[in-house]
Amino acid sequence: MASAAERHTFPELAKRAVADTQLRRNIGNATQTIRAKRAAVVAEVPDWEDLREAGRSLKEHTLRSLDRYLVQLEEAVTKAGGQVHWARDGAEASRIVIEIAERHSVKEVIKVKSITTEEIKLNEALEAAGIRPFETDLAELIIQLGDDVSSHILVPAIHRNRAEIRELFMRKLGLTELSDRPSDLTAAARTYLREKFLTVPMAVSGANFGICDTGTICVVESEGNGRMCLTLPQVLVSVMGVEKLVPTWEDMEVFLQLLPRSSTGERMNPYNSFWTGVMPGDGPQEFHLVLLDNRRTDVLADRTGRQTLNCIRCSACLNICPVYSRTGGHAYHSEYQGPIGAILTPQLHGMESAASLPYASSLCGACYEVCPVKINIPEVLVHLRTRAVAQSGFTLEKLAMGAAIRMFDNPRLLETAQKIARVAQRPFASDGYITGGIGPVRQWTKARDLPAVPSQSFRDWWRTRR
Amino acid sequence: MSAAREEVLGRIRQALSRDPAGEIDIARSYRRTAALHGAELVDRFAERAEAYKATVLRVDAAGLADALERLRGRFVVPDDLPEEWLPPEFIRDHRQLGHRDLDAVDGVVTGCALAIAETGTIVLDAGVGQGRRAITLLPDFHVCIVPVERIVASVPEAVAALRTSLPRPLTFMSGPSATSDIELNRVEGVHGPRRLEIIILGETPD
Ligand code: SF4
């Protein structure tokens, strides 16, 4: 993922992705389909805006007293028979999981899709310790068998088509006959994984919510692989970021409405599992909860950036984003993609490793409008750009950004600037698109087809019509 | 481990140290109930559950016997499932059945804690007539009996009612399992039961 010396910047990767037409078509179809489904089920809810406000305020309320809520959750989970562990970073979390596996002499674990465990590279750590992780989400299985990287937080294998998946399954699952119908491919995965579910004694999951007053953990999913992992093995370990808390059970009435409609565009996703510690005779008889920091407390310390921790990972901002729907997820070079990735990755992995990501946006604001917990992504982007620029010293971009903020605040200034731009761009505009430019504009247009400022602005045109 | 605990909690307190004192209010202007009653409530539940490709039957007590009569094959049932809800051929689960046994039966019949009309969801809470979680997970066919008085209108009403079910595990089910992972084609039936039949039991109120 984002490496110490960001080897590939967003502009380089985006250019490559946009050139790949198959990928573009898949991502384009996917985002369009989910967008339409989401819009339809959101329109059905008369109090959607009230729910968003409740979601935002619940998250901000919880973050403001995060220390107290974490201690409350720890107590409740422990009382219910679970064991709670704290991890300062990814390496520490991975060590905790490996120690539990070793104590049970486990050589294989089954996994439910979890971006948090991707973030901490748990699979690599398990493999290094001689423990084989099996991803059980269909898309994750496709990714794992293909030695591939996720491109969307909700549908990670969206860049693969059915022919590629068929070929992969035949080769890796040792099948001699298989059609490329999605139902047949799914059935092949069911058969392969059923045996794993029945025999592997330990599971690792993430968590969507940790409910502080009851110590209940929640995982939402579609395929039933989550229920399998949460129910059948003897030992269950859930790795959860410290920000995923809700104060009380009743608060789930908000998130159980916001999340499924924003995420898969369904009224409710097929399965939601809730469990509280250990239930004798039902499910795993040993439960561990690993509370992970991994720089989340740094994000918390930044009062503008902090709202990033409200995120419930619904992926609505990816599907609506004009940049994401053209480039796909790989360009972000991170387990978190799209608009949320552009603000979360640099904060979690460090500005030095992902300094180009805050620029992977046109600041159009669509992500803010769809976000179920009202994260003002454009605001955080601009804030992080300022931080990135501050770290790299004074540049023209800094000047331009400062000017841009002032302009969007002031329509008169914007109009004047557009007039100046129309004159200034003349030598570079061809076919209505700016392709070259100098200085900051050149940097900008390297990876963006910047639409040329039309010879007459909308405001000018409107005035002449009247 | 407690060194990590103290350090993480310390970092959080440090991060929050410059915040103004006092709590952030939670905005609760959203609906806590939905205006759905009587026949409309039951219709809405049936329609929304069908939208997920669940099969929905509506029966009275006599109709239930007929509906159960049609079930072919061996069904596992929770040890406390009422007599009138039993299919022709059944095995009661007293937790003696292993996972492979459950994998080998043809289906499962259970009741539920409640059902949510607006979302077409059934909720199991491991209470009476529902059994442990594994019995509704491994068999390929789940028949769930929903008495009409168990249907609530909205998610907030369901959440309020389920408070007393905790700390037992809860499972919300909305249709059979599904995936859209391959080219966004929806495929019903991945790992959970591939078929879900919901039998709504009782006179529909006016
Ligand atoms: S930032 Fe908002 S819209 Fe994007 S994934 Fe997170 S919660 Fe969803």
Side-chain angles (χ1 to χ4, degrees):
Chain A
M1 308 286 132
S3 57
E6 194 188 34
R7 255 172 255 119
H8 305 282
T9 62
F10 182 82
E12 289 162 17
L13 291 166
K15 244 190 155 143
R16 218 185 290 165
V18 169
D20 182 342
T21 47
Q22 175 69 48
L23 176 71
R24 265 180 78 175
R25 212 174 307 129
N26 288 359
I27 303 267
N29 285 344
T31 52
Q32 214 179 335
T33 309
I34 308 179
R35 224 159 47 210
K37 280 179 72 187
R38 177 201 164 273
V41 294
V42 164
E44 221 173 73
V45 181
D47 55 342
W48 185 253
E49 287 308 315
D50 302 89
L51 286 167
R52 285 180 76 213
E53 184 55 23
R56 182 201 63 78
S57 59
L58 268 165
K59 281 291 182 181
E60 285 178 11
H61 167 95
T62 314
L63 288 173
R64 179 75 82 82
S65 307
L66 191 58
D67 51 337
R68 177 166 65 78
Y69 279 122
L70 279 167
V71 170
Q72 190 190 10
L73 178 77
E74 178 187 40
E75 274 170 22
V77 170
T78 311
K79 204 171 135 232
Q83 299 173 46
V84 177
H85 311 260
W86 300 70
R88 282 164 284 208
D89 55 28
E92 189 163 27
S94 296
R95 261 201 315 281
I96 293 167
V97 178
I98 290 165
E99 274 169 29
I100 296 167
E102 285 175 343
R103 208 175 314 135
H104 292 277
S105 313
V106 161
K107 287 280 157 229
E108 296 183 336
V109 301
I110 42 179
K111 285 193 67 213
V112 203
K113 173 183 166 181
S114 146
I115 321 172
T116 308
T117 62
E118 259 181 76
E119 172 196 320
I120 65 171
K121 298 193 175 48
L122 177 63
N123 285 0
E124 285 88 329
L126 286 168
E127 271 159 20
I131 300 159
R132 198 165 159 208
F134 289 92
E135 292 294 348
T136 62
D137 182 81
L138 181 54
E140 293 293 338
L141 177 70
I142 295 167
I143 302 265
Q144 195 177 39
L145 291 176
D147 229 340
D148 202 347
V149 190
S150 158
S151 62
H152 187 291
I153 59 180
L154 185 68
V155 269
I158 199 63
H159 55 288
R160 292 283 193 176
N161 64 30
R162 62 180 77 191
E164 293 173 305
I165 297 167
R166 170 177 178 267
E167 190 275 327
L168 184 68
F169 277 13
M170 291 188 66
R171 192 155 43 84
K172 293 287 184 150
L173 306 183
L175 302 170
T176 46
E177 248 175 84
L178 185 64
S179 86
D180 67 358
R181 274 198 303 272
S183 56
D184 289 345
L185 296 170
T186 305
R190 176 184 169 102
T191 309
Y192 168 72
L193 286 172
R194 182 59 64 116
E195 202 47 38
K196 296 291 164 209
F197 292 136
L198 290 172
T199 52
V200 176
M202 174 169 154
V204 178
S205 82
N208 291 92
F209 302 98
I211 302 160
C212 299
D213 70 334
T214 58
T216 305
I217 307 298
C218 170
V219 166
V220 309
E221 51 134 354
S222 294
E223 296 178 5
N225 60 314
R227 290 179 67 198
M228 293 280 176
C229 292
L230 303 172
T231 310
L232 301 181
Q234 274 307 298
V235 182
L236 171 63
V237 184
S238 302
V239 181
M240 182 173 84
V242 290
E243 81 283 18
K244 299 258 177 99
L245 306 190
V246 300
T248 70
W249 162 250
E250 280 70 25
D251 298 324
M252 288 310 299
E253 70 192 11
V254 174
F255 296 109
L256 285 178
Q257 296 189 77
L258 287 174
L259 180 54
R261 289 181 198 258
S262 300
S263 170
T264 49
E266 292 167 299
R267 298 185 178 108
M268 193 65 88
N269 47 291
Y271 296 137
N272 299 326
S273 294
F274 297 89
W275 72 99
T276 307
V278 169
M279 179 58 39
D282 187 347
Q285 295 302 295
E286 190 176 315
F287 169 57
H288 299 265
L289 177 65
V290 181
L291 297 171
L292 174 75
D293 179 351
N294 210 30
R295 295 185 90 150
R296 284 164 176 74
T297 46
D298 291 342
V299 184
L300 188 68
D302 179 336
R303 287 181 59 191
T304 306
R306 179 186 295 175
Q307 55 187 310
T308 311
L309 299 176
N310 293 4
C311 178
I312 54 174
R313 312 277 189 264
C314 72
S315 76
C317 58
L318 278 68
N319 300 321
I320 204 81
C321 177
V323 177
Y324 177 85
S325 43
R326 277 174 67 82
T327 62
H330 287 157
Y332 297 83
H333 215 242
S334 166
E335 61 284 345
Y336 301 105
Q337 304 107 22
I340 180 62
I343 61 171
L344 186 56
T345 305
Q347 294 186 85
L348 285 185
H349 293 294
M351 283 310 265
E352 61 289 346
S353 70
S356 70
L357 275 182
Y359 296 86
S361 160
S362 62
L363 297 180
C364 75
C367 46
Y368 179 30
E369 271 167 47
V370 295
C371 179
V373 284
K374 288 188 158 178
I375 301 172
N376 190 336
I377 297 177
E379 180 189 41
V380 181
L381 279 167
V382 171
H383 172 71
L384 293 176
R385 287 179 189 185
T386 319
R387 258 172 64 180
V389 169
Q391 281 177 13
S392 64
F394 189 78
T395 64
L396 276 173
E397 171 102 27
K398 185 172 182 177
L399 190 70
M401 277 315 300
I405 296 165
R406 261 180 285 126
M407 267 193 297
F408 285 115
D409 279 350
N410 181 339
R412 278 226 91 81
L413 215 54
L414 178 64
E415 246 178 294
T416 314
Q418 280 174 340
K419 278 187 190 134
I420 296 169
R422 271 195 296 280
V423 178
Q425 79 187 2
R426 260 180 217 139
F428 311 104
S430 59
D431 299 336
Y433 278 85
I434 299 178
T435 48
I438 44 164
V441 183
R442 222 180 104 73
Q443 276 300 318
W444 178 265
T445 54
K446 249 198 218 160
R448 297 172 184 82
D449 278 338
L450 186 64
V453 182
S455 56
Q456 200 181 25
S457 80
F458 177 78
R459 278 202 190 82
D460 283 345
W461 173 83
W462 181 246
R463 229 174 260 141
T464 57
R465 306 280 299 195
R466 296 209 302 181
Chain B
M1 284 305 114
S2 75
R5 180 183 190 273
E6 291 324 306
E7 198 175 320
V8 173
L9 287 172
R11 283 186 205 164
I12 291 170
R13 288 177 190 134
Q14 178 65 34
L16 295 168
S17 62
R18 285 182 305 130
D19 278 49
E23 295 204 328
I24 292 175
D25 290 336
I26 299 165
R28 301 274 188 197
S29 55
Y30 56 89
R31 298 174 307 158
R32 304 304 264 281
T33 55
L36 265 182
H37 308 280
E40 215 189 339
L41 177 72
V42 182
D43 289 349
R44 182 68 56 86
F45 171 64
E47 165 216 320
R48 297 270 153 107
E50 265 172 346
Y52 297 119
K53 308 276 160 63
T55 312
V56 178
L57 298 180
R58 296 169 70 163
V59 299
D60 55 14
L64 177 63
D66 294 341
L68 292 167
E69 194 55 42
R70 328 172 335 271
L71 297 177
R72 292 284 156 265
R74 264 177 356 127
F75 283 72
V76 63
V77 300
D79 56 358
D80 56 358
L81 194 77
E83 289 287 326
E84 320 78 79
W85 291 11
L86 290 170
E89 201 187 327
F90 62 88
I91 327 157
R92 286 196 184 271
D93 172 49
H94 313 281
R95 305 192 199 280
Q96 83 286 16
L97 298 170
H99 293 158
R100 289 214 184 266
D101 301 324
L102 294 172
D103 192 37
V105 299
D106 297 298
V108 54
V109 179
T110 69
C112 67
L114 54 80
I116 310 169
E118 282 194 338
T119 58
T121 304
I122 52 173
V123 183
L124 273 66
D125 72 354
V128 175
Q130 298 160 62
R132 58 186 166 130
R133 284 173 288 171
I135 68 167
T136 53
L137 180 58
L138 288 166
D140 206 9
F141 180 28
H142 182 190
V143 179
C144 182
I145 299 171
V146 181
V148 279
E149 63 277 9
R150 294 274 167 114
I151 304 174
V152 301
S154 66
V155 170
E157 286 154 89
V159 168
L162 291 165
R163 159 66 73 170
T164 52
S165 303
L166 297 171
R168 293 198 305 274
L170 299 174
T171 310
F172 285 52
M173 307 174 190
S174 306
S177 62
T179 184
S180 301
D181 278 346
I182 301 172
E183 296 181 6
L184 280 197
N185 277 283
R186 189 174 168 94
V187 177
E188 263 89 27
V190 193
H191 297 297
R194 281 186 279 198
R195 284 192 299 145
L196 173 65
E197 181 168 300
I198 294 174
I199 304 182
I200 302 175
L201 171 65
E203 297 298 326
T204 304
D206 299 321

